[in-house]
Amino acid sequence: MSFGVMKNQKERQRIALAALLHDIGKFWQRADDHYRQSNVLAEVYPKETWDLTVPLYENGDPKYVHALWTNAFFVKTKTGKKLNLESDGDDTLANLSANHHKPHNHNEAIISLADKWSSGIDRPDEGEEGVSGYHQVKNKYGKDFVRRVPMHSIFDSIVTPHGGSKTGEAHTYRIRSLELDAETIFPGERDNVSLQDDYKKLWDAFEKEYRQILESKTDFHAFYVSLLTLLKKYTWCIPSATNVLPSNVSLYEHLKSTAAIALSLFDYFHEQEEQLQVSGRQIVNQPKQDPLLLVCVDVSGIQKFIYDIANKKAAASLKGRSFYIEILLRNVIDELIRHENIDALPSNVIYSSGGKAYLILANTQRVRNALASIQDKIAKNLHQETNGQLFVAIGYTSFRYESRWGEIEYDGGVKTKGYLNRISTDDDKVIKRYITKNDTFNLSMLWRSVSDKAAENKNKKFRNVYIEDFDKMFVQGIDFDANARRCAVTGEKILGNAYKLDDVSTVAGGKLYISEVVNQQIEIGKMLRTARQIVFSDNADFHTANLGRRFHFKESFDDFASLVYLNDWPNFGRNKGGQSNIFYGGNYQPSLVVSNG
């Protein structure tokens, strides 16, 4: 019986979507009026029954008011009903998402815990509540700081010998959808102005496209992939937390990591047959063992693979090989998250670029076994296709947070109560390797440990291949094959089909030949010049070592095709399949412009 059948898939989908949108109310709140003047909240809470969703102050005012807008979002869009994700009783998608500051049951507690742990990743040793910079924020930006604090550039946090920026101003991003133009992607020296009008314009555009996705995507996975793309487009520039400075973690990243943690916690508790218990606002039985894995995927041999080519068809081959690496990493991730014993979602991918990816997964026996089997499959397929030039190493470390209510000291000695997050691991090898007498385990150690583990696996690269195919590789060998040809691009012996290069000069004894994979990379390089999208389909022309999904660059008329747009945003109403995008600059090269002046 498969992993998906053993679980209630709709319950898993509710958890993932509720976590992904748990703080969407922050976006809408900043575009709307004060909660007492909001027409939206007046309609959803006609009798000001705020306590249905959030805890109250002693005077009756609501805390964490952004959650009220999160609830309103689900009510107004009818998301749960349209996706057929509602359940009986009070466990609605709206309650599951909005009640993360006042959980009532196991599933709501999972979202609440995931939010706190994600905040711990965003702001180590602190959470969303009672952070130490609150008074600094309020003094600088005033009472309406949630609509005035912008997204800060992470580069402002870099300590330089000169003490930072020359002007001392904060470098912040404009509140606008993500586009590849200088005004959007480069921060400027502007701060402490009202952003409400910008938020409103951005929210209106987001809501319009959200409803498009909701109407056009009947499959949950297609909806979820498209929603992730939409959130990247509109929430990349929105600060996740406005009560701490610098505010340099985007709402998009916080939503994504919360969804990754929540789904992983759900799977962990399902395997352990445990339930979180809630007393008041407190979760009284947090995990005593590590429920999460941070996983590193590391592609090695990239430089040699891309540049170790002959002069024949070098330009097209270079472009194709570079793009091959990008799609390879994407397809390796696809192998991981779509494995029946992992069954994760794209939001479980925390970072993916430059031949490396990091994921958060459940620390279950099923997942650990799946990672080992996937590592073996990737090694076999890549060794066969690239003659051992490329290798993918996987490493992971288990971890957890302890989120407890305690005393936080502000700058200046002022003390308050709030959630404290302390990260830990049960991995004895990691503890012995990274922790000294004066140290405690921290987030940077976690990241370093998984990268080091993946790097160590490179020392055992293709071990399973060599053991299983020893005679074929070291006794028979390709050099003993009298019919083997040498590839004109890579110079390597050709395994499998050989393709003629008809448009290059002949050499003594006949035509030049290239391998099947090089022929594919040349064709990819050619098509990329005019390609506008990548279409993933089972019957497509290209593949990366038969890992993940096949792909092509042709116009697709398949209504359910999975489309990835190049340097553009999708038209979400175009088809019913999942739609995403990547920014790809490989079709352009730098040029020198000489001024006559």
Side-chain angles (χ1 to χ4, degrees):
M1 186 180 292
S2 74
F3 183 57
V5 173
M6 291 178 66
K7 292 188 175 186
N8 184 336
Q9 279 296 79
K10 282 195 175 182
E11 191 174 10
R12 294 182 81 244
Q13 290 170 358
R14 276 200 299 273
I15 288 286
L17 183 56
L20 184 64
L21 292 175
H22 78 285
D23 270 351
I24 197 66
K26 289 183 175 181
F27 187 179
W28 201 357
Q29 174 195 8
R30 297 168 197 176
D32 199 7
D33 295 323
H34 185 272
Y35 70 90
R36 289 197 180 278
Q37 282 79 50
S38 169
N39 293 328
V40 172
L41 296 189
E43 185 178 343
V44 176
Y45 298 92
K47 297 181 180 180
E48 296 190 354
T49 51
W50 321 118
D51 60 313
L52 295 175
T53 305
V54 297
L56 304 179
Y57 291 104
E58 291 182 2
N59 64 1
D61 289 343
K63 299 180 179 181
Y64 320 116
V65 292
H66 65 270
L68 304 177
W69 275 276
T70 293
N71 183 54
F73 178 77
F74 282 99
V75 171
K76 300 288 281 184
T77 60
K78 298 181 172 62
T79 295
K81 182 178 180 180
K82 290 183 178 180
L83 292 175
N84 194 26
L85 286 180
E86 294 295 19
S87 63
D88 297 330
D90 295 328
D91 195 19
T92 64
L93 192 59
N95 285 344
L96 189 58
S97 186
N99 291 356
H100 58 277
H101 289 291
K102 191 180 180 180
H104 301 88
N105 54 48
H106 170 67
N107 284 346
E108 289 181 5
I110 283 178
I111 309 292
S112 179
L113 204 58
D115 178 42
K116 292 177 178 61
W117 289 12
S118 173
S119 297
I121 292 174
D122 297 346
R123 301 176 290 283
D125 303 320
E126 294 185 345
E128 184 178 25
E129 305 171 51
V131 293
S132 58
Y134 173 75
H135 283 285
Q136 179 188 2
V137 172
K138 199 167 182 180
N139 288 338
K140 179 175 180 179
Y141 292 96
K143 290 179 63 177
D144 199 31
F145 63 88
V146 295
R147 296 176 180 84
R148 301 182 74 86
V149 175
M151 176 84 170
H152 292 81
S153 169
I154 195 170
F155 294 109
D156 280 348
S157 302
I158 297 175
V159 177
T160 69
H162 306 292
S165 104
K166 294 179 181 178
T167 63
E169 293 290 332
H171 292 77
T172 66
Y173 294 95
R174 291 180 169 87
I175 302 297
R176 57 169 64 182
S177 62
L178 181 57
E179 301 292 345
L180 289 181
D181 61 73
E183 284 204 350
T184 300
I185 63 174
F186 289 109
E189 293 182 351
R190 51 189 176 275
D191 200 8
N192 203 6
V193 296
S194 176
L195 303 171
Q196 185 173 358
D197 290 343
D198 293 336
Y199 270 120
K200 187 176 187 316
K201 185 185 300 182
L202 197 67
W203 174 260
D204 290 343
F206 165 80
E207 186 180 13
K208 179 180 178 181
E209 291 200 75
Y210 178 84
R211 291 181 182 276
Q212 249 186 355
I213 295 173
L214 202 54
E215 295 298 327
S216 63
K217 315 300 178 191
T218 55
D219 171 73
F220 175 80
H221 192 270
F223 171 82
Y224 197 89
V225 168
S226 301
L227 174 58
L228 266 179
T229 307
L230 189 71
L231 288 170
K232 180 173 73 171
K233 179 179 180 180
Y234 287 106
T235 65
W236 75 278
C237 60
I238 297 175
S240 167
T242 55
N243 57 350
V244 62
L245 295 176
S247 188
N248 55 21
V249 176
S250 73
L251 182 59
Y252 172 68
E253 296 298 341
H254 175 66
L255 295 176
K256 196 153 65 86
S257 60
T258 303
I261 294 171
L263 186 60
S264 300
L265 287 174
F266 179 87
D267 290 347
Y268 172 82
F269 287 123
H270 184 274
E271 182 176 272
Q272 299 295 316
E273 298 183 345
E274 294 179 6
Q275 293 270 316
L276 290 172
Q277 304 298 322
V278 180
S279 176
R281 290 177 54 208
Q282 308 302 316
I283 300 169
V284 297
N285 61 331
Q286 293 191 38
K288 301 300 182 186
Q289 296 177 322
D290 297 342
L292 304 179
L293 296 176
L294 182 63
V295 181
C296 176
V297 177
D298 189 355
V299 183
S300 62
I302 293 175
Q303 294 298 318
K304 183 176 181 182
F305 175 78
I306 292 177
Y307 295 110
D308 189 14
I309 56 178
N311 62 347
K312 304 301 181 185
K313 293 289 183 180
S317 183
L318 184 66
K319 181 188 291 189
R321 285 182 159 230
S322 177
F323 195 77
Y324 177 95
I325 296 293
E326 185 160 353
I327 298 300
L328 171 65
L329 183 59
R330 190 184 189 96
N331 275 339
V332 166
I333 291 170
D334 203 50
E335 285 282 336
L336 287 169
I337 66 176
R338 295 178 69 193
H339 192 283
E340 66 174 1
N341 287 337
I342 296 178
D343 196 20
L345 289 164
S347 51
N348 287 81
V349 184
I350 302 304
Y351 169 87
S352 176
S353 184
K356 269 194 177 182
Y358 295 87
L359 300 86
I360 291 177
L361 298 175
N363 182 21
T364 65
Q365 191 62 51
R366 287 177 172 274
V367 170
R368 294 192 298 271
N369 290 346
L371 290 174
S373 101
I374 291 167
Q375 171 83 79
D376 286 350
K377 177 182 177 180
I378 294 169
K380 290 175 183 177
N381 289 22
L382 276 180
H383 191 276
Q384 182 177 356
E385 178 150 304
T386 70
N387 292 326
Q389 281 189 310
L390 291 176
F391 180 73
V392 174
I394 297 174
Y396 59 81
T397 297
S398 65
F399 73 102
R400 69 183 182 275
Y401 274 90
E402 178 192 354
S403 294
R404 63 180 178 84
W405 188 255
E407 193 171 66
I408 299 172
E409 184 171 325
Y410 288 151
D411 297 333
V414 180
K415 294 182 179 180
T416 189
K417 294 286 186 178
Y419 277 103
L420 300 169
N421 284 306
R422 188 174 71 86
I423 192 170
S424 62
T425 181
D426 292 331
D427 192 324
D428 289 334
K429 292 182 179 178
V430 170
I431 293 171
K432 290 176 182 176
R433 179 170 181 176
Y434 298 100
I435 298 179
T436 65
K437 289 183 179 179
N438 300 321
D439 252 339
T440 56
F441 187 70
N442 57 46
L443 188 60
S444 64
M445 291 179 187
L446 175 65
W447 284 91
R448 193 163 74 247
S449 71
V450 295
S451 298
D452 288 347
K453 286 182 177 183
E456 287 168 4
N457 283 334
K458 296 177 188 178
N459 297 327
K460 299 177 285 186
K461 64 173 62 174
F462 303 119
R463 179 175 179 270
N464 62 316
V465 179
Y466 297 152
I467 292 173
E468 292 180 18
D469 296 330
F470 183 87
D471 287 346
K472 180 180 177 182
M473 297 183 65
F474 297 106
V475 178
Q476 179 184 354
I478 188 174
D479 287 330
F480 293 94
D481 185 353
N483 297 317
R485 297 185 174 95
R486 192 174 293 277
C487 178
V489 172
T490 65
E492 297 174 347
K493 294 291 182 68
I494 296 175
L495 293 170
N497 295 332
Y499 289 78
K500 290 182 180 180
L501 277 176
D502 293 327
D503 55 346
V504 298
S505 303
T506 59
V507 293
K511 290 279 188 180
L512 294 177
Y513 290 89
I514 56 174
S515 66
E516 183 176 8
V517 66
V518 168
N519 182 66
Q520 173 182 259
Q521 290 157 5
I522 291 173
E523 290 302 310
I524 289 173
K526 290 178 182 177
M527 292 185 176
L528 277 172
R529 297 169 187 164
T530 57
R532 297 180 57 194
Q533 63 189 27
I534 314 167
V535 181
F536 288 92
S537 173
D538 291 338
N539 57 359
D541 300 330
F542 304 123
H543 65 90
T544 53
N546 289 313
L547 299 169
R549 292 175 294 173
R550 299 180 71 90
F551 62 98
H552 62 74
F553 301 95
K554 304 169 188 173
E555 184 76 11
S556 174
F557 299 98
D558 180 358
D559 199 30
F560 291 90
S562 179
L563 305 178
V564 178
Y565 286 74
L566 295 172
N567 300 326
D568 201 0
W569 294 106
N571 173 2
F572 291 107
R574 175 185 167 182
N575 75 340
K576 297 179 180 180
Q579 294 169 282
S580 57
N581 84 316
I582 57 174
F583 292 119
Y584 168 72
N587 285 334
Y588 308 96
Q589 61 186 34
S591 59
L592 178 65
V593 178
V594 180
S595 172
N596 292 329

